[in-house]
Amino acid sequence: MHECIRSTRSGNKDAFRKIYAHSKDYVYGTVSLLVNNKQDAADVVSEVYVEVFKSLYRYDFDKPFRSWITGVVIRQVRNWNRKLWRKFRLYERGKLMELPEPSPDSESLFLRHKNCK
């Protein structure tokens, strides 16, 4: 695995594919446990690998790769949940700001009723 990481750092895309192939089942399984919606799990996994690619230069070869990638997974799941929470809060705020339909006052109800006769 360390050789694949070194190669990826040097720009070898095939080495990154090997990292993906080696870790995809573990990553997807972990994300699936942490994310309620299975459709969201695929999106989170994609974000995990984008972050893995961007952060690979910070990988410490003295530490286990699985522990490192687990940390990336947990951070991305937290970010995903934070995004969902923000969307929910914005939706709720939008609902609160909607103006209710004006209720007819008693005079207009009386006039409407009088005109119906």
Side-chain angles (χ1 to χ4, degrees):
M1 181 57 59
H2 287 176
E3 188 55 43
C4 289
I5 293 169
R6 284 187 187 91
S7 294
T8 301
R9 286 178 171 179
S10 300
N12 184 340
K13 293 178 183 175
D14 288 330
F16 187 74
R17 286 187 187 102
K18 289 178 184 176
I19 293 170
Y20 172 79
H22 174 77
S23 61
K24 68 179 179 174
D25 292 335
Y26 172 73
V27 168
Y28 185 79
T30 306
V31 169
S32 293
L33 289 172
L34 299 172
V35 174
N36 293 334
N37 186 339
K38 298 306 173 201
Q39 293 172 332
D40 290 345
D43 292 335
V44 174
V45 169
S46 295
E47 290 186 16
V48 165
Y49 282 104
V50 167
E51 188 61 30
V52 165
F53 187 78
K54 290 187 332 188
S55 302
L56 214 49
Y57 73 92
R58 291 188 306 223
Y59 174 70
D60 182 359
F61 290 103
D62 294 331
K63 306 239 166 106
F65 179 74
R66 190 175 210 147
S67 299
W68 180 79
I69 202 165
T70 300
V72 174
V73 167
I74 290 170
R75 280 189 299 281
Q76 291 307 310
V77 168
R78 281 188 194 149
N79 290 342
W80 183 264
N81 288 333
R82 204 173 299 125
K83 285 180 199 175
L84 287 178
W85 179 246
R86 284 185 192 130
K87 286 179 185 177
F88 174 74
R89 294 287 304 211
L90 287 172
Y91 173 76
E92 289 296 313
R93 284 183 188 164
K95 281 180 25 180
L96 287 174
M97 296 185 78
E98 288 176 2
L99 294 175
E101 288 293 320
S103 58
D105 58 28
S106 57
E107 183 179 347
S108 60
L109 282 175
F110 175 76
L111 292 173
R112 226 182 286 159
H113 179 70
K114 185 178 174 183
N115 290 336
C116 288
K117 291 183 179 181

